[in-house]
Amino acid sequence: MNLQDWKMLATLYETENITLAAHQLFLSQPTLTARIQKLENHYGISLILRKRRGIMFTPEGEELAQHARRMLLEQRKMEEKLSNMREEVRGTLRVGVSNFFAANKMPKLLMLFKEKYPDVECQVVTGWSSDMHRLLLNHDVHISFIKGNYAWKEKKALLYEEEICVASPWEFTWEELPKLPRVDYYTDEHMRILLDDWWHQNYIEQPNITIHVNQVETCKEMVTHGLGYAIVANLVVRPHPELFIKPITESSGEPLRRQTWMYYQEDTLQMNIVRAFVDFVQTLDVKAL
């Protein structure tokens, strides 16, 4: 097998779909199918089984796919090591970014970083904080920007804290909150537990959720158009002074806060590009970006 075979198997294993894998590899579906058959003939085994939707790997195919993933990781490490042997800050930085950070902080952060280091390329993956944590654990990214505290024995740096608040298009009292229409949104498990615990500590009734959306940005738009209130981190609604905003507090009276961190592995600091990026981020007031 060669590098292209490793990429093909790893992509197939990730997508479990020939059409999607061919699209990601910039190949036609017949070309990809022919390459699979060539590997099967070479090893004298069946690599995949076709299902009604997508594919599944045979035990032999899965073993080969896992080998391909390991070889790609080793290849990437070697390329990074060779790149790092030069003194310049150049190469490709792989970053995982939680959704809100990706939309509201990352564009300006990357612009400023590339102004200082123009020879750097950045590969950015976005998603829920839990997904970005998993990418870091799997060594798929060098650095992840994550909301909340996740199990992590390596390095992390606190970037900022923000208060959790109720944002409403109309004035409200705490007592009437359960009866008011609420716009809810999909969020990671840590934030969901935080909000649910606060609600059940303060109210017997269930919240009157009338709209449920996938993203906090969509939720904010619903609130600004008068469709209900939402419980969000205050940076989400900071650009909207027309909203009525009240911070929520813990039983101690302290504001309920959520933290945003930069997670990374200490050994990656041996790479010029990672060390330069970590140092650069820590010179910024990220919350003010």
Side-chain angles (χ1 to χ4, degrees):
M1 288 200 304
N2 57 31
L3 179 62
Q4 296 306 314
D5 292 327
W6 298 340
K7 289 181 178 178
M8 177 189 70
L9 285 173
T11 304
L12 270 175
Y13 190 77
E14 180 180 341
T15 62
E16 296 184 336
N17 186 287
I18 290 179
T19 302
L20 184 56
H23 177 74
Q24 291 187 9
L25 293 166
F26 302 100
L27 298 173
S28 68
Q29 188 170 333
T31 299
L32 179 57
T33 301
R35 288 175 60 175
I36 296 170
Q37 292 173 344
K38 184 178 179 180
L39 274 182
E40 290 180 326
N41 292 337
H42 177 76
Y43 288 103
I45 59 173
S46 294
L47 292 175
I48 61 173
L49 300 173
R50 285 171 171 78
K51 303 184 296 183
R52 180 176 298 177
R53 294 184 179 178
I55 62 167
M56 64 180 295
F57 276 78
T58 64
E60 298 87 350
E62 182 157 355
E63 183 67 27
L64 209 56
Q66 293 291 0
H67 172 72
R69 287 163 61 91
R70 290 193 295 270
M71 295 305 293
L72 282 175
L73 180 60
E74 289 302 315
Q75 176 75 14
R76 195 163 62 202
K77 286 181 178 179
M78 176 55 68
E79 291 172 353
E80 290 171 348
K81 184 175 182 180
L82 292 174
S83 176
N84 196 55
M85 291 174 71
R86 300 188 294 267
E87 292 185 3
E88 301 97 332
V89 177
R90 61 171 62 237
T92 301
L93 181 72
R94 302 190 309 279
V95 188
V97 190
S98 64
N99 286 319
F100 177 81
F101 198 97
N104 294 275
K105 304 294 182 184
M106 202 64 187
K108 188 169 184 181
L109 193 157
L110 285 182
M111 180 193 72
L112 294 172
F113 183 65
K114 284 186 66 68
E115 284 178 356
K116 187 172 184 179
Y117 300 106
D119 295 326
V120 168
E121 293 184 6
C122 296
Q123 292 181 355
V124 178
V125 182
T126 66
W128 309 116
S129 288
S130 55
D131 295 332
M132 299 307 100
H133 179 238
R134 185 171 62 254
L135 287 176
L136 197 61
L137 290 173
N138 292 338
H139 302 273
D140 291 326
V141 294
H142 297 123
I143 296 164
S144 279
F145 293 97
I146 295 174
K147 282 186 176 292
N149 284 295
Y150 284 78
W152 186 245
K153 293 184 179 180
E154 290 273 359
K155 306 288 284 184
K156 65 178 183 178
L158 178 62
L159 300 181
Y160 58 82
E161 292 184 319
E162 52 187 324
E163 295 180 353
I164 309 300
C165 66
V166 172
S168 170
W170 349 267
E171 290 190 70
F172 65 94
T173 64
W174 294 110
E175 292 75 19
E176 64 185 329
L177 206 58
K179 296 182 175 61
L180 297 177
R182 173 171 160 183
V183 183
D184 206 7
Y185 57 96
Y186 183 82
T187 185
D188 63 85
E189 185 180 4
H190 284 213
M191 181 66 164
R192 175 54 54 202
I193 292 173
L194 195 69
L195 297 186
D196 288 348
D197 284 350
W198 175 81
W199 184 271
H200 293 301
Q201 287 171 11
N202 290 274
Y203 301 105
I204 299 175
E205 309 98 313
Q206 292 296 319
N208 179 26
I209 296 173
T210 56
I211 300 176
H212 200 291
V213 297
N214 285 335
Q215 298 280 352
V216 70
E217 289 293 324
T218 308
C219 173
K220 178 188 71 176
E221 289 301 312
M222 297 290 183
V223 173
T224 59
H225 284 79
L227 298 174
Y229 75 90
I231 304 178
V232 295
N234 61 3
L235 285 185
V236 174
V237 291
R238 184 173 61 177
H240 296 277
E242 74 276 13
L243 296 178
F244 295 88
I245 297 171
K246 295 182 181 181
I248 63 178
T249 59
E250 302 183 72
S251 56
S252 64
E254 286 293 310
L256 195 64
R257 295 185 176 93
R258 198 174 191 209
Q259 299 171 325
T260 295
W261 298 81
M262 177 172 62
Y263 286 63
Y264 56 98
Q265 290 161 337
E266 186 167 15
D267 59 0
T268 62
L269 293 177
Q270 298 175 36
M271 299 171 56
N272 295 334
I273 189 172
V274 176
R275 185 171 64 254
F277 186 76
V278 169
D279 290 344
F280 176 78
V281 171
Q282 292 180 317
T283 67
L284 299 176
D285 181 355
V286 178
K287 189 174 185 179
L289 286 179

